Amino acid sequence: MQDTVAILLFVGVIAYALLGGADFGAGFWDLTAGGAERGRRPRHLIDTSIGPVWEANHTWLIYCLVILWSGFPTAFTAITTTLYLPLILAGLGIVLRGAAFAFRHNAMRTPEQRLYGALFAVSSLLTPYSFGAIAGAIASGRVPMGGNGNAVASWNHPTSHLGGILAVVVCAYLAAVYLHVEARRADDPGLARYFRDRGLAAGVAAGAVSVAGIFVLHSDAERLFHDLSHVALPLVIGAAVCGVACMFLLLTNRRVLLRQTAAAAVALVVCGWGVAQYPYLLGTHLTLDEAASPRATLQVLIVVACVAGVTVLPSLVLLFRLAGRGRLTIH
Amino acid sequence: MLTLDAVLNGLATAADEPAQLLPARQQMAFTLGFHIILVPFGVALTSLTLIAHYRGLRRGDSTALLLARRWSKTAAVLFAVGAVTGTVLTFELGVLWPGLMGTYGAAFGFPFSIEGLFFFLEAIFVSIYIYGWNRLPPWGHFWTGVPVSLSGIGGTASVVAANSWMNQPGGITMRDGKVVDVRPSEVFFNGAFWGETIHMLLAAYIVAGFTVASVYAVGLLRGRDNGYHRTGFLIGFVTAACLMPVQLFVGDTLARDVFNDEPAKFAAIEMVPTTDDHVPETLGGVLIDGEVRYGWQIPDLGSILADFSPSTTIKGLDAIPADVRPSDRTVSIVHLAFDVMVGTGTLLALLAAWFAWLWYRHRRVPHNRWFLRACAVSGLVAVICLESGWVVTEVGRQPWTVVGLLLTKDAVTTEGNIWALFACVLALYCAVGAAAIWVLRSMRRRWRAEGDDNVTVPYGPAPEPEPVAARPGPREQ
């Protein structure tokens, strides 16, 4: 039962990484798009492609939080009392990002738009970095069972830095690939090339960070390294294959499976983390079993997830199809 | 809110309380108090939008369609702010109140997972609806708005389920300080669930209705007496005015439920120091050294209101064990907040009655300037009413977080400098609030420049060369 809930939780983590992550990545490209004139077209594309979907994508985070705190409440408080600083930073980023994006949309004057745009962009870096650092801290067992771990040391170590940087780079990579496809769909070859180059660069960066990560984990998080190189090895290899395949598709200007391979590469990395972590929730000191809520609560969570499967998923598909067909985008 | 309580209590911390308690309570009160203002717009403004939308499509009324389109854009901005401030609250539950989440997460937490489901649907359909103007067929577009309203109601019920469980916890079995068994339906549909949920839902519609009405009342007062302002005013005002009498009835019933089920809170609300019959109803006043001072007392009325008889015995504050008895200041705050809630609620009900009278006389939107002035402030009054209601239920529970099970001082985190965090949150929220108001004002400026008679674009967000999508109604023919 607790395994099912853990899987449901992980589905949420993956969805947030793929969808919410791409929205944050779009913020990264917004930040680096240059001055108001030069960055107008990429910014416009970013605006129109994430405008209709970012709130729905953001909701995956809420989903993860509520499943975690209802299903594994002691682990939740251990994490929040230890990693409150990165959590606060992530929260700050979320408020600034959401508010600034919504406001920019409605602001009329360029200086206002510039202010909101800058806030949107900077917070798009802050939040993925913080979440990556949190993941690194959890994965390397820096969160004590009783909570109240060291507020700074718990996320100021190589694995957390790796997690944070990897998160930022991966988000940027996903976003560039998605935006590349969007630009092609909008029949804008110039913009498509623009994001293709950026996707390639971010892909190379993500690959480089991952390779560096092998050494970081080897010296800083032995158990994680061991499990990633044993039980989770197929997933890691799969991620590498997908990543390379996506780069190849980008290079050869193909459109088929482009987004899918990029998403699969990221999803497999996250899965690898999950498999390496199993059956522990925190380091090697708190198992899923020990942290789980009573049976009835877990049952409720599974029922809620099933109901979500039949109500939320079709609605999401509808939203994405409408947005994808350009029916919801702003002209 | 709780902030007031904390300020009045002085900044000193009692010896057995963690230093984090005071700032944590203040921060929670502030962020909740901020978020709750946005809730009515997420929950109810979308329904008002749909009423306007329906009217527009049914009657081919382009003015109503224009209102619907503008309201949906307003709702979009407020919904975004509400979504992020709501996310902050979920973070805060873990960061500030680990004692609550760690121990009772299995029971207290799962209603939020149901809320998450509703919020998901709401976020998806809000996007579809807002971006659907002119891009979906008119009636199909209308129907994409309906799930927003429905999931707003479901989401409110789920969050209030968690809150009411803190007031009347049940459905759990504890062993060695751990929740070992949960009976979900008893947790969700706890003793306080129905009363609180209906009260809050009505409040959301009333606040949204009066706020919308006040916007257009100002316009009418400034001489913009056109169909656009009259329709906007009527949809908001009539919705709120029809629900106001219902709310008075629900509130009255709820107060008697509190008398029966939460005697400690009732003692604070009525400010009854000692258990007695023939308890007077105290209006205003404060509790000083265990005695009621400065209030205006109506003999026997407290007992009569509690159970329809002057000889009804009301449990006083002395019935609460001394170590969990709320302080005099806490009691005074709860009592005054209750008076403010009932007072402002009554004023709003009188305003509704006044409207009914004027409508009965003239059969049109009243021109009476004093009436319109009252309407212009009714939104603010409704917000005050809503906030004081939350003060009653939240401060009225103190010193408990979960009544009888968990004291607030045991729920709070013991790490970190919460004052610093609170200061940052305060600054951030003030900036977000100011920016939101600024953006809404600039939207209004733009709309005013566009004009209120949107003859050229009966259906859609931008003046695009598209044919009239709405069925031509009798007015245009």
Side-chain angles (χ1 to χ4, degrees):
Chain A
M1 186 86 89
Q2 52 273 21
D3 290 357
T4 315
V5 175
I7 291 169
L8 292 173
L9 174 62
F10 237 79
V11 169
V13 174
I14 292 171
Y16 187 57
L18 294 183
L19 301 167
D23 293 350
F24 285 116
F28 178 84
W29 298 121
D30 196 292
L31 180 68
T32 52
E37 200 44 55
R38 197 154 58 87
R40 174 155 298 161
R41 281 172 54 237
R43 286 207 178 93
H44 182 70
L45 182 71
I46 290 166
D47 241 13
T48 53
S49 50
I50 75 173
V53 294
W54 76 267
E55 269 161 345
N57 293 344
H58 169 74
T59 312
W60 284 107
L61 173 65
I62 311 276
Y63 168 93
C64 296
L65 285 171
V66 295
I67 299 263
L68 180 62
W69 82 36
S70 322
F72 309 99
T74 47
F76 173 70
T77 51
I79 294 168
T80 55
T81 52
T82 302
L83 296 167
Y84 60 88
L85 289 175
L87 275 169
I88 289 167
L89 289 178
L92 173 75
I94 286 168
V95 173
L96 286 180
R97 203 272 303 237
F101 186 71
F103 294 163
R104 176 168 81 167
H105 222 80
N106 291 294
M108 284 279 87
R109 292 201 303 248
T110 311
E112 272 178 57
Q113 285 188 333
R114 197 174 285 159
L115 170 69
Y116 294 136
L119 284 174
F120 159 62
V122 172
S123 51
S124 294
L125 290 184
L126 193 60
T127 306
Y129 183 86
S130 305
F131 280 128
I134 290 168
I138 296 171
S140 59
R142 253 98 175 183
V143 178
M145 199 159 100
N148 291 329
N150 190 309
V152 177
S154 57
W155 60 293
N156 183 21
H157 54 83
T159 310
S160 270
H161 296 317
L162 171 71
I165 293 168
L166 192 62
V168 171
V169 178
V170 160
C171 289
Y173 164 64
L174 276 178
V177 174
Y178 293 177
L179 287 167
H180 166 71
V181 175
E182 282 294 319
R184 290 176 69 154
R185 193 179 278 152
D187 262 336
D188 190 336
L191 212 49
R193 207 162 36 247
Y194 178 96
F195 279 114
R196 189 195 74 154
D197 297 347
R198 277 156 181 76
L200 284 170
V204 170
V209 173
S210 305
V211 172
I214 295 173
F215 298 100
V216 171
L217 291 185
H218 183 62
S219 64
D220 191 57
E222 251 171 73
R223 193 192 77 84
L224 187 63
F225 178 78
H226 177 268
D227 285 354
L228 277 177
S229 56
H230 290 78
V231 276
L233 190 62
L235 295 170
V236 175
I237 292 172
V241 170
C242 288
V244 172
C246 178
M247 301 294 277
F248 176 75
L249 293 172
L250 267 183
L251 268 176
T252 52
N253 257 327
R254 260 172 258 211
R255 196 167 148 179
V256 208
L257 290 180
L258 193 52
R259 281 184 304 178
Q260 287 81 347
T261 46
V266 177
L268 285 170
V269 171
V270 183
C271 277
W273 168 38
V275 170
Q277 184 106 358
Y278 186 83
Y280 298 102
L281 233 173
L282 300 176
T284 53
H285 41 263
L286 187 68
T287 61
L288 289 172
D289 232 0
E290 292 159 349
S293 279
R295 230 182 135 70
T297 304
L298 301 179
Q299 280 167 344
V300 170
L301 295 179
I302 292 171
V303 170
V304 168
C306 291
V307 175
V310 296
T311 55
V312 171
L313 285 188
S315 318
L316 265 183
V317 171
L318 176 70
L319 173 64
F320 283 128
R321 281 187 57 185
L322 288 171
R325 272 200 236 136
R327 293 186 71 170
L328 295 186
T329 44
I330 296 175
H331 304 290
Chain B
M1 303 232 24
L2 296 139
T3 321
L4 261 179
D5 176 23
V7 171
L8 289 177
N9 269 316
L11 300 181
T13 308
D16 61 334
E17 288 173 357
Q20 282 81 6
L21 182 62
L22 203 55
R25 282 186 69 194
Q26 293 208 34
Q27 182 177 331
M28 198 67 194
F30 172 71
T31 46
L32 260 177
F34 189 97
H35 182 69
I36 201 71
I37 298 176
L38 297 161
V39 169
F41 300 99
V43 173
L45 184 57
T46 43
S47 302
L48 297 180
T49 305
L50 285 178
I51 293 174
H53 196 164
Y54 183 85
R55 188 189 155 99
L57 291 181
R58 251 297 141 210
R59 304 195 186 169
D61 181 346
S62 63
T63 307
L65 279 178
L66 182 65
L67 282 166
R69 202 194 77 200
R70 289 179 175 175
W71 289 353
S72 75
K73 292 200 151 190
T74 311
V77 171
L78 295 173
F79 187 80
V81 181
V84 291
T85 54
T87 309
V88 170
L89 289 174
T90 60
F91 278 43
E92 282 177 342
L93 281 175
V95 171
L96 299 180
W97 310 105
L100 170 65
M101 299 314 292
T103 314
Y104 298 99
F108 175 71
F110 84 78
F112 288 103
S113 66
I114 300 170
E115 196 267 341
L117 174 69
F118 284 117
F119 181 70
F120 225 135
L121 290 172
E122 201 175 344
I124 293 169
F125 282 99
V126 156
S127 297
I128 295 180
Y129 184 73
I130 287 161
Y131 286 91
W133 285 102
N134 244 15
R135 300 183 179 97
L136 296 172
W139 279 105
H141 179 219
F142 171 81
W143 285 107
T144 60
V146 173
V148 181
S149 281
L150 296 180
S151 40
I153 292 171
T156 307
S158 312
V159 174
V160 176
N163 181 272
S164 56
W165 182 84
M166 292 155 80
N167 288 325
Q168 292 187 35
I172 55 169
T173 309
M174 301 283 293
R175 198 180 301 139
D176 305 329
K178 272 190 72 175
V179 176
V180 289
D181 189 28
V182 175
R183 295 176 294 284
S185 67
E186 283 178 51
V187 169
F188 198 94
F189 299 105
N190 59 75
F193 170 76
W194 286 108
E196 263 196 49
T197 302
I198 294 169
H199 202 46
M200 178 61 213
L201 271 176
L202 288 171
Y205 275 83
I206 288 168
V207 169
F210 278 126
T211 308
V212 166
S214 19
V215 169
Y216 297 99
V218 170
L220 290 170
L221 274 172
R222 292 191 180 154
R224 284 189 275 277
D225 188 1
N226 51 25
Y228 176 81
H229 278 78
R230 283 193 298 270
T231 312
F233 175 82
L234 276 182
I235 292 174
F237 194 90
V238 171
T239 307
C242 290
L243 296 177
M244 206 53 229
V246 186
Q247 183 72 309
L248 286 192
F249 173 76
V250 169
D252 182 56
T253 313
L254 199 54
R256 260 187 296 282
D257 287 348
V258 172
F259 166 68
N260 288 316
D261 303 326
E262 299 169 53
K265 186 182 277 179
F266 195 77
I269 286 173
E270 294 288 322
M271 207 154 67
V272 183
T274 47
T275 306
D276 206 354
D277 49 21
H278 294 273
V279 176
E281 176 72 19
T282 310
L283 299 180
V286 287
L287 197 66
I288 296 173
D289 296 328
E291 290 195 18
V292 178
R293 306 281 286 274
Y294 310 120
W296 180 40
Q297 297 200 320
I298 306 167
D300 290 354
L301 188 62
S303 288
I304 295 173
L305 286 174
D307 203 23
F308 306 112
S309 153
S311 55
T312 304
T313 303
I314 297 180
K315 278 192 189 150
L317 295 163
D318 60 340
I320 307 169
D323 54 334
V324 291
R325 195 178 295 155
S327 69
D328 286 357
R329 289 190 182 95
T330 306
V331 172
S332 301
I333 286 164
V334 175
H335 171 73
L336 289 173
F338 186 80
D339 283 0
V340 169
M341 173 182 74
V342 174
T344 49
T346 309
L347 286 177
L348 292 172
L350 288 174
L351 185 66
W354 190 1
F355 173 79
W357 169 247
L358 291 172
W359 185 266
Y360 172 76
R361 292 270 310 276
H362 306 291
R363 305 269 156 192
R364 58 172 163 75
V365 173
H367 286 167
N368 184 318
R369 291 191 74 76
W370 280 108
F371 172 77
L372 288 176
R373 279 182 195 128
C375 290
V377 295
S378 64
L380 187 64
V381 172
V383 169
I384 292 170
C385 190
L386 174 80
E387 294 278 5
S388 41
W390 276 104
V391 173
V392 173
T393 189
E394 298 300 286
V395 183
R397 200 177 53 229
Q398 301 304 324
W400 298 102
T401 290
V402 182
V403 173
L405 292 176
L406 179 69
L407 288 166
T408 308
K409 66 176 180 195
D410 299 325
V412 76
T413 184
T414 50
E415 292 292 317
N417 184 348
I418 308 295
W419 282 114
L421 175 62
F422 180 42
C424 297
V425 167
L426 205 62
L428 177 66
Y429 272 49
C430 286
V432 168
I437 292 169
W438 181 259
V439 165
L440 290 177
R441 288 175 70 99
S442 77
M443 283 161 74
R444 188 185 63 180
R445 235 185 351 260
R446 193 178 347 147
W447 289 340
R448 202 165 281 165
E450 275 175 21
D452 296 339
D453 47 339
N454 200 26
V455 193
T456 48
V457 193
Y459 196 79
E464 284 168 325
E466 286 206 11
V468 178
R471 226 173 41 172
R475 288 195 183 184
E476 281 150 22
Q477 284 165 350

